[in-house]
Amino acid sequence: MTDTAPLLQVCKVCKSFPGVRALHEIDLTLHRSEVLALIGENGAGKSTLMKILAGVQPPDTGEIRVDGQPVEIRTVNDALDAGIALIHQELNLADNLTVGANIYLGREPRRLGLIDTKRMNRDARDVLRRVGLDVDPATPLSQLSIGRQQLVEIAKALSINARVLIMDEPTSSLSAHETETLFDVVKDLRNKGVSVIYISHRLGEVKELADRVTVMRDGENAGDLDHAQIDHDAMVRLMVGRDISQFYARQQHPIGDTLLEVRGLATPTWPGHRLSFKVHRGEIVGVAGLVGAGRTEMLRTLFGIDRRLTGEVLIDGQPVEITSPIEAIEHGLALVPEDRKQHGLVVDMSVRHNVGLAGLHRNARTGGMLNQAQEDHDTAEMIGKLNIKTPGPDQVAKFLSGGNQQKVVIGKWLALSPRLLLLDEPTRGIDVGAKEEIYKLMERLAEQGMAVLFVSSELEEVMGMSDRVIVMHEGAITGELMRDELSEEAVMQLATGRQKSPAA
Ligand SMILES: Nc1ncnc2c1ncn2[C@@H]1O[C@H](COP(=O)(O)OP(=O)(O)OP(=O)(O)O)[C@@H](O)[C@H]1O
Ligand SMILES: [Mg+2]
Protein backbone atom coordinates (compact mmCIF):
# COMPACT_ATOMS: atom_id res chain seq x y z
CA MET A 1 0.00 0.00 0.00
CA THR A 2 1.24 3.46 -0.85
CA ASP A 3 0.11 6.61 0.89
CA THR A 4 -0.02 8.50 -2.35
CA ALA A 5 -2.40 6.09 -4.07
CA PRO A 6 -6.01 7.23 -4.17
CA LEU A 7 -8.40 5.52 -1.79
CA LEU A 8 -10.42 4.07 -4.64
CA GLN A 9 -9.77 3.75 -8.35
CA VAL A 10 -12.00 2.43 -11.07
CA CYS A 11 -10.03 1.56 -14.21
CA LYS A 12 -11.60 0.91 -17.59
CA VAL A 13 -14.67 -0.81 -16.26
CA CYS A 14 -17.16 -2.15 -18.82
CA LYS A 15 -20.62 -3.57 -18.25
CA SER A 16 -23.29 -4.64 -20.72
CA PHE A 17 -26.79 -5.97 -20.33
CA PRO A 18 -28.76 -7.61 -23.13
CA GLY A 19 -29.19 -4.87 -25.70
CA VAL A 20 -27.60 -2.18 -23.50
CA ARG A 21 -24.01 -1.07 -23.15
CA ALA A 22 -24.30 0.46 -19.69
CA LEU A 23 -20.61 1.24 -19.03
CA HIS A 24 -17.75 1.57 -21.47
CA GLU A 25 -14.19 1.91 -20.15
CA ILE A 26 -15.19 4.03 -17.20
CA ASP A 27 -12.50 5.56 -14.99
CA LEU A 28 -13.13 7.11 -11.61
CA THR A 29 -10.87 8.24 -8.80
CA LEU A 30 -11.83 8.89 -5.20
CA HIS A 31 -9.40 10.45 -2.73
CA ARG A 32 -9.45 10.25 1.04
CA SER A 33 -11.73 12.66 2.85
CA GLU A 34 -13.46 13.95 -0.19
CA VAL A 35 -16.99 14.23 -1.46
CA LEU A 36 -17.07 13.27 -5.11
CA ALA A 37 -20.30 14.05 -6.92
CA LEU A 38 -21.19 11.69 -9.75
CA ILE A 39 -23.64 13.23 -12.18
CA GLY A 40 -25.13 12.41 -15.56
CA GLU A 41 -28.43 12.09 -17.38
CA ASN A 42 -30.93 9.36 -16.63
CA GLY A 43 -29.47 6.11 -17.85
CA ALA A 44 -25.90 7.40 -18.01
CA GLY A 45 -24.72 4.44 -15.93
CA LYS A 46 -24.25 5.98 -12.47
CA SER A 47 -26.19 3.40 -10.48
CA THR A 48 -24.71 0.55 -12.51
CA LEU A 49 -21.19 1.65 -11.63
CA MET A 50 -22.07 2.06 -7.97
CA LYS A 51 -23.67 -1.37 -7.83
CA ILE A 52 -20.42 -2.80 -9.17
CA LEU A 53 -18.43 -1.02 -6.45
CA ALA A 54 -20.85 -2.32 -3.83
CA GLY A 55 -20.64 -5.93 -5.02
CA VAL A 56 -24.25 -6.08 -6.15
CA GLN A 57 -23.21 -7.03 -9.67
CA PRO A 58 -19.81 -7.82 -11.20
CA PRO A 59 -18.15 -5.82 -14.00
CA ASP A 60 -17.56 -7.50 -17.36
CA THR A 61 -14.00 -6.19 -17.57
CA GLY A 62 -11.83 -3.61 -15.86
CA GLU A 63 -10.23 -3.23 -12.48
CA ILE A 64 -11.02 -1.75 -9.10
CA ARG A 65 -8.20 -0.70 -6.78
CA VAL A 66 -8.36 0.20 -3.12
CA ASP A 67 -5.28 1.91 -1.68
CA GLY A 68 -3.58 1.19 -4.98
CA GLN A 69 -4.13 -2.57 -4.76
CA PRO A 70 -6.43 -4.44 -7.16
CA VAL A 71 -9.42 -5.95 -5.34
CA GLU A 72 -12.02 -8.49 -6.37
CA ILE A 73 -15.48 -7.33 -5.42
CA ARG A 74 -17.85 -10.19 -6.16
CA THR A 75 -20.35 -9.91 -3.34
CA VAL A 76 -21.77 -7.27 -1.04
CA ASN A 77 -19.64 -8.73 1.75
CA ASP A 78 -16.48 -8.28 -0.35
CA ALA A 79 -17.44 -4.63 -0.71
CA LEU A 80 -18.09 -4.22 3.00
CA ASP A 81 -14.70 -5.83 3.72
CA ALA A 82 -13.15 -3.22 1.46
CA GLY A 83 -15.07 -0.58 3.43
CA ILE A 84 -17.56 0.31 0.71
CA ALA A 85 -21.24 0.76 1.56
CA LEU A 86 -24.01 1.73 -0.83
CA ILE A 87 -27.23 3.47 -0.04
CA HIS A 88 -29.49 2.44 -2.88
CA GLN A 89 -31.49 4.76 -5.08
CA GLU A 90 -34.55 2.68 -4.34
CA LEU A 91 -34.95 2.18 -0.62
CA ASN A 92 -33.81 -1.25 0.32
CA LEU A 93 -35.29 -1.68 3.78
CA ALA A 94 -37.71 -4.22 5.19
CA ASP A 95 -41.02 -2.54 5.93
CA ASN A 96 -42.19 -5.14 8.41
CA LEU A 97 -39.13 -4.92 10.68
CA THR A 98 -38.32 -2.32 13.31
CA VAL A 99 -35.90 0.52 12.66
CA GLY A 100 -33.22 -1.14 14.80
CA ALA A 101 -33.65 -4.54 13.14
CA ASN A 102 -33.27 -2.90 9.74
CA ILE A 103 -30.01 -1.23 10.72
CA TYR A 104 -28.50 -4.50 11.94
CA LEU A 105 -30.23 -6.84 9.49
CA GLY A 106 -28.01 -9.89 8.94
CA ARG A 107 -25.48 -8.81 11.59
CA GLU A 108 -27.65 -8.62 14.68
CA PRO A 109 -25.74 -8.64 17.96
CA ARG A 110 -26.38 -11.97 19.67
CA ARG A 111 -26.31 -13.31 23.19
CA LEU A 112 -26.51 -17.05 23.84
CA GLY A 113 -27.42 -17.50 20.20
CA LEU A 114 -30.42 -15.19 20.36
CA ILE A 115 -30.72 -11.69 18.96
CA ASP A 116 -29.79 -9.26 21.72
CA THR A 117 -32.55 -6.77 21.02
CA LYS A 118 -31.65 -4.57 23.92
CA ARG A 119 -28.11 -4.06 22.74
CA MET A 120 -29.20 -3.77 19.13
CA ASN A 121 -31.57 -0.96 19.96
CA ARG A 122 -29.01 0.78 22.14
CA ASP A 123 -26.45 0.72 19.34
CA ALA A 124 -29.08 1.74 16.85
CA ARG A 125 -29.95 4.76 18.96
CA ASP A 126 -26.34 5.95 18.69
CA VAL A 127 -26.18 5.81 14.91
CA LEU A 128 -29.65 7.28 14.58
CA ARG A 129 -28.50 10.23 16.63
CA ARG A 130 -25.63 10.75 14.20
CA VAL A 131 -28.10 11.32 11.38
CA GLY A 132 -30.30 13.49 13.53
CA LEU A 133 -33.17 11.00 13.69
CA ASP A 134 -35.01 11.02 16.95
CA VAL A 135 -37.03 7.81 16.72
CA ASP A 136 -37.28 4.81 18.98
CA PRO A 137 -35.39 1.91 17.31
CA ALA A 138 -38.29 -0.36 18.29
CA THR A 139 -40.62 1.57 15.96
CA PRO A 140 -41.80 -0.42 12.93
CA LEU A 141 -40.13 1.04 9.87
CA SER A 142 -43.43 1.30 8.03
CA GLN A 143 -44.50 4.07 10.43
CA LEU A 144 -41.76 6.38 9.16
CA SER A 145 -42.08 8.77 6.23
CA ILE A 146 -40.02 7.96 3.14
CA GLY A 147 -37.67 10.77 4.12
CA ARG A 148 -37.04 9.32 7.54
CA GLN A 149 -36.61 5.85 6.11
CA GLN A 150 -33.88 7.30 3.94
CA LEU A 151 -32.09 8.53 7.04
CA VAL A 152 -32.36 5.04 8.52
CA GLU A 153 -30.51 3.72 5.44
CA ILE A 154 -27.77 6.23 6.08
CA ALA A 155 -27.60 5.26 9.76
CA LYS A 156 -27.26 1.67 8.63
CA ALA A 157 -24.27 2.53 6.42
CA LEU A 158 -22.68 4.46 9.28
CA SER A 159 -23.02 1.46 11.55
CA ILE A 160 -20.82 -0.49 9.15
CA ASN A 161 -18.00 2.07 9.58
CA ALA A 162 -17.61 2.46 5.86
CA ARG A 163 -14.56 4.26 4.42
CA VAL A 164 -16.40 4.82 1.18
CA LEU A 165 -20.03 5.73 1.47
CA ILE A 166 -22.01 5.81 -1.74
CA MET A 167 -25.26 7.74 -1.76
CA ASP A 168 -27.44 7.31 -4.83
CA GLU A 169 -29.84 10.26 -4.90
CA PRO A 170 -30.19 10.37 -1.12
CA THR A 171 -32.18 13.59 -0.92
CA SER A 172 -34.82 12.88 -3.55
CA SER A 173 -37.46 12.29 -0.90
CA LEU A 174 -36.12 14.33 2.00
CA SER A 175 -37.61 17.53 3.38
CA ALA A 176 -35.49 20.68 3.42
CA HIS A 177 -34.74 20.11 7.07
CA GLU A 178 -33.81 16.46 6.57
CA THR A 179 -31.60 17.49 3.64
CA GLU A 180 -29.74 19.96 5.82
CA THR A 181 -29.23 17.26 8.43
CA LEU A 182 -27.90 14.95 5.75
CA PHE A 183 -25.46 17.58 4.49
CA ASP A 184 -24.16 18.05 8.02
CA VAL A 185 -23.73 14.30 8.33
CA VAL A 186 -21.84 14.15 5.02
CA LYS A 187 -19.56 17.06 5.95
CA ASP A 188 -18.94 15.54 9.34
CA LEU A 189 -18.02 12.20 7.78
CA ARG A 190 -15.61 13.89 5.41
CA ASN A 191 -13.92 15.60 8.34
CA LYS A 192 -13.56 12.23 9.99
CA GLY A 193 -11.76 10.80 6.95
CA VAL A 194 -14.66 9.06 5.20
CA SER A 195 -15.04 9.57 1.46
CA VAL A 196 -18.43 9.95 -0.11
CA ILE A 197 -19.61 9.36 -3.66
CA TYR A 198 -22.71 11.45 -4.03
CA ILE A 199 -25.16 11.02 -6.90
CA SER A 200 -27.74 13.72 -7.44
CA HIS A 201 -29.71 15.45 -10.14
CA ARG A 202 -29.93 18.55 -7.97
CA LEU A 203 -27.03 20.61 -9.14
CA GLY A 204 -27.42 23.12 -6.33
CA GLU A 205 -26.68 20.38 -3.85
CA VAL A 206 -23.68 19.26 -5.83
CA LYS A 207 -22.30 22.78 -5.78
CA GLU A 208 -22.75 23.06 -2.06
CA LEU A 209 -21.34 19.69 -1.14
CA ALA A 210 -18.86 18.41 -3.70
CA ASP A 211 -15.09 18.75 -3.65
CA ARG A 212 -14.94 17.38 -7.16
CA VAL A 213 -17.39 16.30 -9.86
CA THR A 214 -17.19 13.39 -12.28
CA VAL A 215 -19.62 13.48 -15.18
CA MET A 216 -20.88 10.45 -17.09
CA ARG A 217 -22.63 10.40 -20.42
CA ASP A 218 -24.00 7.33 -22.19
CA GLY A 219 -21.88 5.02 -20.07
CA GLU A 220 -18.65 6.89 -20.69
CA ASN A 221 -16.57 9.53 -18.93
CA ALA A 222 -17.68 12.98 -20.05
CA GLY A 223 -15.27 15.00 -17.91
CA ASP A 224 -14.27 16.03 -14.41
CA LEU A 225 -14.58 19.34 -12.64
CA ASP A 226 -12.32 20.55 -9.86
CA HIS A 227 -13.81 22.42 -6.97
CA ALA A 228 -13.19 25.83 -8.50
CA GLN A 229 -14.76 24.77 -11.80
CA ILE A 230 -18.05 23.54 -10.35
CA ASP A 231 -20.92 25.64 -11.60
CA HIS A 232 -24.36 24.92 -12.93
CA ASP A 233 -23.74 25.63 -16.58
CA ALA A 234 -20.45 23.73 -16.71
CA MET A 235 -22.15 20.68 -15.22
CA VAL A 236 -25.11 20.84 -17.58
CA ARG A 237 -22.86 21.25 -20.59
CA LEU A 238 -20.87 18.13 -19.73
CA MET A 239 -24.01 16.14 -18.95
CA VAL A 240 -26.18 16.92 -21.93
CA GLY A 241 -23.65 18.35 -24.33
CA ARG A 242 -25.56 21.59 -24.81
CA ASP A 243 -26.63 24.68 -22.89
CA ILE A 244 -30.01 24.80 -21.24
CA SER A 245 -30.85 28.38 -20.61
CA GLN A 246 -34.56 29.17 -20.74
CA PHE A 247 -35.57 26.59 -18.21
CA TYR A 248 -39.03 27.74 -17.27
CA ALA A 249 -40.24 29.43 -20.40
CA ARG A 250 -43.92 29.85 -19.62
CA GLN A 251 -46.06 31.18 -22.41
CA GLN A 252 -49.06 33.26 -21.65
CA HIS A 253 -52.26 31.58 -22.72
CA PRO A 254 -55.84 32.19 -21.73
CA ILE A 255 -57.16 30.35 -18.72
CA GLY A 256 -60.59 28.78 -19.17
CA ASP A 257 -63.57 27.86 -17.02
CA THR A 258 -63.44 26.06 -13.74
CA LEU A 259 -62.77 22.36 -14.30
CA LEU A 260 -62.31 21.18 -10.73
CA GLU A 261 -63.88 22.68 -7.67
CA VAL A 262 -63.17 21.29 -4.24
CA ARG A 263 -65.39 22.41 -1.36
CA GLY A 264 -64.51 21.57 2.22
CA LEU A 265 -62.68 18.35 1.47
CA ALA A 266 -61.32 16.43 4.46
CA THR A 267 -58.70 13.69 4.11
CA PRO A 268 -58.29 10.76 6.49
CA THR A 269 -54.82 12.01 7.48
CA TRP A 270 -56.03 15.48 8.41
CA PRO A 271 -59.69 14.99 9.34
CA GLY A 272 -59.83 18.33 11.14
CA HIS A 273 -59.06 20.47 8.09
CA ARG A 274 -61.30 21.47 5.19
CA LEU A 275 -59.71 22.06 1.81
CA SER A 276 -61.32 24.33 -0.76
CA PHE A 277 -59.91 25.46 -4.09
CA LYS A 278 -60.46 25.52 -7.85
CA VAL A 279 -58.45 24.55 -10.89
CA HIS A 280 -59.36 25.97 -14.30
CA ARG A 281 -58.90 24.57 -17.77
CA GLY A 282 -55.54 25.50 -19.18
CA GLU A 283 -54.21 26.37 -15.77
CA ILE A 284 -51.11 24.98 -14.07
CA VAL A 285 -51.56 25.12 -10.32
CA GLY A 286 -48.62 24.28 -8.10
CA VAL A 287 -49.05 22.95 -4.58
CA ALA A 288 -46.21 24.00 -2.32
CA GLY A 289 -45.49 23.10 1.27
CA LEU A 290 -43.04 21.23 3.42
CA VAL A 291 -42.82 17.45 3.36
CA GLY A 292 -45.74 16.17 5.42
CA ALA A 293 -47.97 19.19 4.81
CA GLY A 294 -50.73 16.98 3.44
CA ARG A 295 -50.22 17.59 -0.25
CA THR A 296 -49.91 13.94 -1.29
CA GLU A 297 -52.92 13.05 0.85
CA MET A 298 -54.95 15.70 -0.91
CA LEU A 299 -54.12 14.26 -4.33
CA ARG A 300 -54.76 10.72 -3.14
CA THR A 301 -58.16 11.66 -1.79
CA LEU A 302 -59.11 13.48 -4.98
CA PHE A 303 -58.10 10.43 -6.97
CA GLY A 304 -60.12 8.04 -4.84
CA ILE A 305 -57.20 6.20 -3.27
CA ASP A 306 -57.90 7.60 0.20
CA ARG A 307 -61.44 8.02 1.43
CA ARG A 308 -63.00 11.46 1.36
CA LEU A 309 -64.40 12.15 4.83
CA THR A 310 -66.52 15.16 4.00
CA GLY A 311 -66.78 17.83 1.36
CA GLU A 312 -67.73 18.05 -2.26
CA VAL A 313 -65.82 17.61 -5.47
CA LEU A 314 -67.26 19.16 -8.61
CA ILE A 315 -66.07 18.60 -12.14
CA ASP A 316 -67.45 21.00 -14.73
CA GLY A 317 -69.84 22.18 -12.05
CA GLN A 318 -71.28 18.72 -11.47
CA PRO A 319 -70.81 17.01 -8.09
CA VAL A 320 -68.96 13.72 -8.56
CA GLU A 321 -68.50 10.71 -6.33
CA ILE A 322 -65.00 9.36 -6.71
CA THR A 323 -64.39 6.39 -4.47
CA SER A 324 -61.77 4.54 -6.51
CA PRO A 325 -59.06 5.35 -9.05
CA ILE A 326 -61.18 3.69 -11.75
CA GLU A 327 -63.93 6.21 -11.09
CA ALA A 328 -61.39 9.01 -11.07
CA ILE A 329 -60.14 7.93 -14.49
CA GLU A 330 -63.71 7.79 -15.78
CA HIS A 331 -64.12 11.39 -14.73
CA GLY A 332 -61.02 12.32 -16.69
CA LEU A 333 -58.48 12.44 -13.87
CA ALA A 334 -54.98 10.99 -13.91
CA LEU A 335 -52.48 10.83 -11.09
CA VAL A 336 -48.73 10.42 -11.38
CA PRO A 337 -47.95 9.33 -7.83
CA GLU A 338 -45.01 10.27 -5.67
CA ASP A 339 -43.97 6.74 -4.89
CA ARG A 340 -43.80 5.40 -8.41
CA LYS A 341 -42.28 2.07 -7.50
CA GLN A 342 -45.23 1.19 -5.34
CA HIS A 343 -48.13 2.91 -7.01
CA GLY A 344 -47.15 3.70 -10.53
CA LEU A 345 -45.10 1.04 -12.17
CA VAL A 346 -45.43 -2.68 -12.60
CA VAL A 347 -41.72 -3.39 -12.56
CA ASP A 348 -41.96 -6.88 -14.04
CA MET A 349 -43.93 -5.72 -17.06
CA SER A 350 -42.56 -4.20 -20.24
CA VAL A 351 -42.53 -0.50 -21.00
CA ARG A 352 -45.25 -1.14 -23.59
CA HIS A 353 -47.56 -2.87 -21.16
CA ASN A 354 -47.02 -0.27 -18.49
CA VAL A 355 -48.06 2.47 -20.88
CA GLY A 356 -50.94 0.28 -22.06
CA LEU A 357 -52.18 -0.21 -18.50
CA ALA A 358 -53.72 3.20 -18.39
CA GLY A 359 -55.62 2.44 -21.58
CA LEU A 360 -56.83 -0.75 -19.99
CA HIS A 361 -58.23 1.31 -17.11
CA ARG A 362 -59.86 3.61 -19.58
CA ASN A 363 -61.56 0.74 -21.34
CA ALA A 364 -62.39 -1.11 -18.14
CA ARG A 365 -66.09 -0.43 -18.35
CA THR A 366 -66.39 -0.64 -22.10
CA GLY A 367 -65.29 -4.20 -22.51
CA GLY A 368 -61.75 -3.96 -21.22
CA MET A 369 -60.16 -4.88 -24.53
CA LEU A 370 -56.55 -4.03 -25.04
CA ASN A 371 -56.10 -2.12 -28.23
CA GLN A 372 -52.75 -3.28 -29.54
CA ALA A 373 -52.38 -0.63 -32.21
CA GLN A 374 -53.27 2.12 -29.76
CA GLU A 375 -50.79 0.73 -27.25
CA ASP A 376 -48.00 0.59 -29.84
CA HIS A 377 -48.74 4.13 -30.88
CA ASP A 378 -48.92 5.47 -27.30
CA THR A 379 -45.71 3.71 -26.32
CA ALA A 380 -43.74 4.96 -29.29
CA GLU A 381 -45.06 8.46 -28.69
CA MET A 382 -44.13 8.45 -25.01
CA ILE A 383 -40.68 7.00 -25.57
CA GLY A 384 -40.07 9.78 -28.06
CA LYS A 385 -41.72 12.66 -26.20
CA LEU A 386 -40.17 11.90 -22.85
CA ASN A 387 -36.91 10.65 -24.30
CA ILE A 388 -37.12 7.35 -22.44
CA LYS A 389 -33.85 5.49 -22.66
CA THR A 390 -34.71 1.88 -23.42
CA PRO A 391 -33.52 -0.63 -26.01
CA GLY A 392 -37.15 -0.93 -27.10
CA PRO A 393 -40.81 -0.94 -26.02
CA ASP A 394 -40.56 -4.55 -24.84
CA GLN A 395 -37.82 -3.98 -22.26
CA VAL A 396 -38.95 -4.97 -18.76
CA ALA A 397 -39.42 -1.83 -16.68
CA LYS A 398 -37.18 -2.88 -13.81
CA PHE A 399 -34.18 -2.88 -16.12
CA LEU A 400 -34.54 0.83 -16.86
CA SER A 401 -32.61 3.39 -14.85
CA GLY A 402 -34.46 5.08 -11.98
CA GLY A 403 -35.24 8.25 -13.89
CA ASN A 404 -36.41 6.40 -16.96
CA GLN A 405 -38.79 4.30 -14.88
CA GLN A 406 -40.36 7.52 -13.71
CA LYS A 407 -40.78 8.73 -17.24
CA VAL A 408 -42.66 5.51 -18.05
CA VAL A 409 -45.14 6.24 -15.27
CA ILE A 410 -45.67 9.78 -16.49
CA GLY A 411 -46.10 8.46 -20.01
CA LYS A 412 -48.65 5.91 -18.88
CA TRP A 413 -50.94 8.55 -17.45
CA LEU A 414 -50.45 11.02 -20.26
CA ALA A 415 -51.54 8.32 -22.69
CA LEU A 416 -54.98 8.66 -21.11
CA SER A 417 -55.25 12.29 -22.25
CA PRO A 418 -56.88 13.28 -18.96
CA ARG A 419 -58.81 16.50 -18.41
CA LEU A 420 -57.20 17.00 -15.04
CA LEU A 421 -53.65 15.84 -14.52
CA LEU A 422 -52.49 15.40 -10.93
CA LEU A 423 -48.73 15.16 -10.54
CA ASP A 424 -46.93 14.40 -7.30
CA GLU A 425 -43.28 15.47 -7.47
CA PRO A 426 -43.18 14.98 -11.25
CA THR A 427 -39.47 15.63 -11.70
CA ARG A 428 -38.08 13.81 -8.70
CA GLY A 429 -35.03 11.88 -9.85
CA ILE A 430 -35.31 13.27 -13.38
CA ASP A 431 -32.23 14.76 -15.03
CA VAL A 432 -32.03 18.38 -16.18
CA GLY A 433 -32.58 17.68 -19.85
CA ALA A 434 -35.63 15.52 -19.23
CA LYS A 435 -36.98 18.00 -16.68
CA GLU A 436 -37.01 20.59 -19.39
CA GLU A 437 -38.99 18.14 -21.54
CA ILE A 438 -41.52 17.55 -18.78
CA TYR A 439 -41.99 21.28 -18.23
CA LYS A 440 -42.56 21.79 -21.93
CA LEU A 441 -45.04 18.96 -21.89
CA MET A 442 -46.96 20.44 -18.95
CA GLU A 443 -47.03 23.74 -20.76
CA ARG A 444 -48.27 22.19 -23.98
CA LEU A 445 -50.98 20.19 -22.20
CA ALA A 446 -52.22 23.27 -20.40
CA GLU A 447 -52.28 25.18 -23.63
CA GLN A 448 -54.52 22.47 -25.08
CA GLY A 449 -56.92 23.01 -22.20
CA MET A 450 -55.85 20.39 -19.69
CA ALA A 451 -55.90 21.45 -16.05
CA VAL A 452 -52.73 20.57 -14.18
CA LEU A 453 -52.38 20.34 -10.42
CA PHE A 454 -48.84 19.51 -9.37
CA VAL A 455 -47.19 19.02 -6.02
CA SER A 456 -43.53 19.87 -5.81
CA SER A 457 -40.98 20.40 -3.10
CA GLU A 458 -38.69 22.22 -5.47
CA LEU A 459 -39.56 25.80 -4.91
CA GLU A 460 -37.83 26.93 -8.06
CA GLU A 461 -39.99 24.59 -10.10
CA VAL A 462 -43.22 25.65 -8.39
CA MET A 463 -42.40 29.28 -8.98
CA GLY A 464 -41.25 28.71 -12.54
CA MET A 465 -44.18 26.62 -13.73
CA SER A 466 -47.30 27.74 -11.87
CA ASP A 467 -50.00 30.15 -12.92
CA ARG A 468 -51.12 30.01 -9.32
CA VAL A 469 -49.73 28.36 -6.21
CA ILE A 470 -51.67 26.77 -3.36
CA VAL A 471 -49.60 26.56 -0.20
CA MET A 472 -50.24 23.99 2.50
CA HIS A 473 -49.09 23.68 6.08
CA GLU A 474 -49.95 20.84 8.45
CA GLY A 475 -52.95 19.67 6.50
CA ALA A 476 -54.47 23.07 5.81
CA ILE A 477 -54.34 25.45 2.87
CA THR A 478 -52.67 28.53 4.29
CA GLY A 479 -52.94 30.65 1.19
CA GLU A 480 -52.92 31.05 -2.56
CA LEU A 481 -50.55 33.14 -4.60
CA MET A 482 -51.05 34.30 -8.17
CA ARG A 483 -48.09 34.18 -10.51
CA ASP A 484 -47.31 37.86 -10.07
CA GLU A 485 -47.41 37.55 -6.28
CA LEU A 486 -44.92 34.70 -6.22
CA SER A 487 -41.71 35.01 -4.33
CA GLU A 488 -39.69 32.47 -2.44
CA GLU A 489 -40.35 34.38 0.73
CA ALA A 490 -44.10 34.57 0.25
CA VAL A 491 -44.31 30.83 -0.34
CA MET A 492 -42.10 29.99 2.64
CA GLN A 493 -44.15 32.27 4.90
CA LEU A 494 -47.27 30.32 4.11
CA ALA A 495 -45.51 26.95 4.03
CA THR A 496 -44.27 27.39 7.56
CA GLY A 497 -47.68 28.51 8.75
CA ARG A 498 -46.50 31.96 9.66
CA GLN A 499 -49.58 33.53 8.18
CA LYS A 500 -53.11 33.07 9.41
CA SER A 501 -55.10 30.54 7.49
CA PRO A 502 -58.03 32.00 5.61
CA ALA A 503 -59.34 28.66 4.40
CA ALA A 504 -58.97 26.32 7.36
N1 LIG B 1 -30.21 -5.21 -14.86
C1 LIG B 1 -30.28 -4.51 -15.99
N2 LIG B 1 -30.71 -5.08 -17.14
C2 LIG B 1 -30.77 -4.40 -18.29
N3 LIG B 1 -30.41 -3.11 -18.42
C3 LIG B 1 -29.97 -2.48 -17.32
C4 LIG B 1 -29.89 -3.13 -16.04
N4 LIG B 1 -29.42 -2.24 -15.13
C5 LIG B 1 -29.23 -1.09 -15.81
N5 LIG B 1 -29.56 -1.21 -17.11
C6 LIG B 1 -29.44 -0.18 -18.15
O1 LIG B 1 -28.16 0.41 -18.05
C7 LIG B 1 -28.22 1.81 -18.34
C8 LIG B 1 -27.65 2.59 -17.17
O2 LIG B 1 -28.56 2.54 -16.09
P1 LIG B 1 -28.27 3.19 -14.66
O3 LIG B 1 -29.33 2.71 -13.76
O4 LIG B 1 -26.87 2.91 -14.28
O5 LIG B 1 -28.45 4.74 -14.97
P2 LIG B 1 -28.33 6.00 -13.98
O6 LIG B 1 -27.22 6.85 -14.49
O7 LIG B 1 -28.27 5.54 -12.59
O8 LIG B 1 -29.70 6.77 -14.30
P3 LIG B 1 -30.77 7.52 -13.30
O9 LIG B 1 -30.28 8.92 -13.15
O10 LIG B 1 -32.02 7.50 -14.11
O11 LIG B 1 -30.87 6.76 -12.05
C9 LIG B 1 -29.68 2.11 -18.63
O12 LIG B 1 -29.87 2.12 -20.01
C10 LIG B 1 -30.42 0.97 -17.97
O13 LIG B 1 -31.64 0.73 -18.61
MG1 LIG C 1 -29.60 5.68 -10.98
Side-chain angles (χ1 to χ4, degrees), residues 5 48 58 74 272 284 287 366:
T48 302
R74 292 278 148 190
I284 300 180
V287 185
T366 58

Short mmCIF file of all heavy atoms in Angstrom, two decimals, residues 5 48 58 74 272 284 287 366:
data_model
loop_
_atom_site.label_atom_id
_atom_site.label_comp_id
_atom_site.label_asym_id
_atom_site.label_seq_id
_atom_site.Cartn_x
_atom_site.Cartn_y
_atom_site.Cartn_z
N ALA A 5 -1.35 6.65 -3.21
CA ALA A 5 -2.40 6.09 -4.07
C ALA A 5 -3.75 6.59 -3.61
O ALA A 5 -3.99 6.76 -2.42
CB ALA A 5 -2.36 4.56 -4.00
N THR A 48 -25.37 1.79 -12.10
CA THR A 48 -24.71 0.55 -12.51
C THR A 48 -23.28 0.51 -11.97
O THR A 48 -22.85 -0.50 -11.40
CB THR A 48 -24.69 0.45 -14.05
OG1 THR A 48 -26.04 0.50 -14.53
CG2 THR A 48 -24.04 -0.83 -14.52
N PRO A 58 -21.21 -7.88 -10.81
CA PRO A 58 -19.81 -7.82 -11.20
C PRO A 58 -19.62 -7.04 -12.50
O PRO A 58 -20.53 -6.97 -13.31
CB PRO A 58 -19.45 -9.30 -11.43
CG PRO A 58 -20.74 -9.93 -11.86
CD PRO A 58 -21.85 -9.16 -11.21
N ARG A 74 -16.88 -9.28 -5.53
CA ARG A 74 -17.85 -10.19 -6.16
C ARG A 74 -19.17 -10.20 -5.42
O ARG A 74 -20.21 -10.55 -5.98
CB ARG A 74 -17.29 -11.62 -6.21
CG ARG A 74 -16.11 -11.79 -7.14
CD ARG A 74 -16.58 -11.96 -8.59
NE ARG A 74 -15.61 -11.38 -9.51
CZ ARG A 74 -15.83 -11.20 -10.81
NH1 ARG A 74 -16.97 -11.53 -11.35
NH2 ARG A 74 -14.91 -10.65 -11.56
N GLY A 272 -59.36 17.07 10.55
CA GLY A 272 -59.83 18.33 11.14
C GLY A 272 -59.77 19.51 10.18
O GLY A 272 -60.25 20.60 10.51
N ILE A 284 -52.06 25.82 -14.81
CA ILE A 284 -51.11 24.98 -14.07
C ILE A 284 -51.07 25.52 -12.64
O ILE A 284 -50.66 26.65 -12.40
CB ILE A 284 -49.71 25.02 -14.70
CG1 ILE A 284 -49.76 24.52 -16.15
CG2 ILE A 284 -48.73 24.20 -13.87
CD1 ILE A 284 -48.41 24.52 -16.85
N VAL A 287 -48.74 23.08 -6.00
CA VAL A 287 -49.05 22.95 -4.58
C VAL A 287 -47.73 22.88 -3.83
O VAL A 287 -46.97 21.93 -3.98
CB VAL A 287 -49.88 21.68 -4.29
CG1 VAL A 287 -50.29 21.66 -2.82
CG2 VAL A 287 -51.11 21.62 -5.18
N THR A 366 -65.85 -0.49 -20.75
CA THR A 366 -66.39 -0.64 -22.10
C THR A 366 -65.85 -1.90 -22.76
O THR A 366 -65.54 -1.92 -23.92
CB THR A 366 -66.03 0.58 -22.97
OG1 THR A 366 -64.60 0.70 -22.98
CG2 THR A 366 -66.64 1.85 -22.45
#
